[in-house]
Amino acid sequence: MTLTVAIQMDPIERLRVAGDTGFALMLEAQARGHTLFTYTPDKLSMREGKVTAPIRPVTVRDVEGDHFSAGAEERTDLSTLDVVLLRQDPPFDMAYVSTTHMLERIHPKTLVVNDPFHVRNAPEKIFVTHFPELMPPTLITRDKAEIEAFRDEFGEIVMKPLYGHGGATVFKTSKTDPNFGSLYDLFANLFREPWVVQAYIKEISEGDKRIILIDGKAAGAVNRVPAVGDLRANMVRGGAARPTDLSKQELAICEAIGPALRERGLLLVGIDVIHGKLTEINVTAPTGVRAIKKLGGPDLAAQLWDVIEGKVGKGK
């Protein structure tokens, strides 16, 4: 089966391909004979219910700095394609939300991965709160008194923006931290939305495990260890990737959330687990696929395309 596949993504020219999950998916799709196109989300248009974008055909190769060739753009009705991969990076803002409303018009006739309706309704740091029994103590608020009471209860806490990504603007503070007032003011000026406040897990120094689930099933994992002197384990923030296996507790977490992911058409999901506690469920453009394979783990791009091909095949 040969599929026509468009990838909604940030400009392909800017990709750092060595660690990019979307690029891994493109390489695997091309190896299977599928026809690839790309477009950027700002080029989406909708008129009288028809969703179009100026897509351009691409071929890709795993060479940093020389990773693609592209043809001419042609504005195309996206409902005529087989698959659209939703792969632009957050922030999860109103521009992002608007694309999900438009892509919802073509799904599931054109399979959008992940389902745009549920991407919109499952932001990573809120969707995870459906499973409080799996999480560390967590507060979502921008009310200073609530944060101070939470800090008094747990001593050390982590604060991060509700719609942040990639470990940006993540802070640890404590009961006696004289910088708390300034930190609160900084957040209040930078962000209009509430913040996520969590009890600090000291075992973060041992790593923040990224587990990839495909169609609701645990498929592979990488342990991300923070750099010395940094709280954040994200690889874009200097975290080191280490091979890992899944514990019984981590497998139980995956089994607990798997049905909810499948019900929502969230085919590719990355969860973050610190010392057996679930902290995020990433559904927008989860990463980690290339790191897992590089460290000797399974080929998750191939697994995902097996699932996609099966779903498109059933729909035809």
Side-chain angles (χ1 to χ4, degrees):
M1 178 192 341
T2 299
L3 303 178
T4 52
V5 180
I7 302 91
Q8 178 173 300
M9 61 190 299
D10 299 312
I12 192 171
E13 295 84 355
R14 300 207 304 250
L15 283 189
R16 297 174 63 182
V17 302
D20 193 89
T21 290
F23 192 74
L25 300 180
M26 294 173 74
L27 287 169
E28 179 63 24
Q30 181 174 274
R32 294 175 179 230
H34 302 323
T35 304
L36 296 178
F37 302 89
T38 65
Y39 68 93
T40 55
D42 59 302
K43 299 294 187 181
L44 270 180
S45 297
M46 183 168 66
R47 181 175 178 180
E48 298 169 357
K50 181 183 289 187
V51 180
T52 66
I55 64 175
R56 57 176 175 167
V58 297
T59 57
V60 291
R61 48 195 171 269
D62 202 2
V63 180
E64 193 76 52
D66 184 29
H67 53 278
F68 78 101
S69 300
E73 289 183 347
E74 182 177 350
R75 185 161 287 278
T76 301
D77 180 350
L78 296 186
S79 71
T80 64
L81 304 177
D82 296 308
V83 179
V84 170
L85 299 182
L86 183 54
R87 286 300 310 176
Q88 84 263 27
D89 289 335
F92 189 78
D93 54 14
M94 289 310 297
Y96 203 117
V97 167
S98 297
T99 69
T100 67
H101 281 290
M102 288 191 270
L103 291 176
E104 191 181 342
R105 298 294 186 97
I106 65 170
H107 179 81
K109 180 180 184 293
T110 295
L111 179 67
V112 181
V113 180
N114 286 317
D115 183 322
F117 176 88
H118 289 293
V119 166
R120 184 172 68 248
N121 288 287
E124 10 264 45
K125 296 177 182 69
I126 293 182
F127 181 43
V128 67
T129 62
H130 286 268
F131 308 96
E133 70 282 2
L134 305 177
M135 300 181 65
T138 300
L139 169 70
I140 297 178
T141 189
R142 61 181 291 121
D143 183 89
K144 187 177 183 182
E146 282 290 297
I147 298 171
E148 289 175 330
F150 190 87
R151 183 183 57 158
D152 288 344
E153 181 178 355
F154 294 102
E156 295 182 308
I157 61 173
V158 172
M159 293 175 60
K160 50 190 174 181
L162 186 58
Y163 298 112
H165 66 101
T169 329
V170 177
F171 292 93
K172 174 191 168 193
T173 186
S174 66
K175 244 186 231 193
T176 58
D177 187 349
N179 293 307
F180 174 74
S182 295
L183 177 61
Y184 176 86
D185 291 341
L186 175 66
F187 268 55
N189 288 325
L190 287 176
F191 308 109
R192 295 182 61 193
E193 65 269 15
W195 315 313
V196 180
V197 186
Q198 289 182 323
Y200 175 65
I201 304 172
K202 66 180 185 301
E203 290 82 3
I204 182 61
S205 61
E206 300 167 11
D208 178 352
K209 196 169 290 189
R210 164 56 56 90
I211 304 171
I212 299 293
L213 293 92
I214 294 178
D215 202 17
K217 296 180 181 178
V222 59
N223 194 36
R224 304 169 301 176
V225 180
V228 175
D230 203 330
L231 168 71
R232 304 163 300 174
N234 309 70
M235 287 180 278
V236 295
R237 305 294 171 191
R242 299 284 185 264
T244 189
D245 295 316
L246 296 181
S247 68
K248 288 182 180 179
Q249 188 174 9
E250 290 159 350
L251 287 169
I253 289 172
C254 294
E255 289 170 5
I257 68 174
L261 304 181
R262 283 192 294 275
E263 288 167 9
R264 290 165 171 79
L266 300 172
L267 302 186
L268 178 63
V269 171
I271 66 171
D272 296 337
V273 178
I274 304 172
H275 195 59
K277 295 294 185 180
L278 178 66
T279 60
E280 292 188 17
I281 300 177
N282 297 277
V283 305
T284 48
T287 61
V289 164
R290 299 213 83 178
I292 290 168
K293 185 178 180 181
K294 183 178 180 180
L295 292 169
D299 187 341
L300 303 187
Q303 290 186 33
L304 180 63
W305 276 109
D306 287 343
V307 170
I308 292 172
E309 290 171 351
K311 291 185 179 295
V312 174
K314 287 178 183 178
K316 286 192 169 183

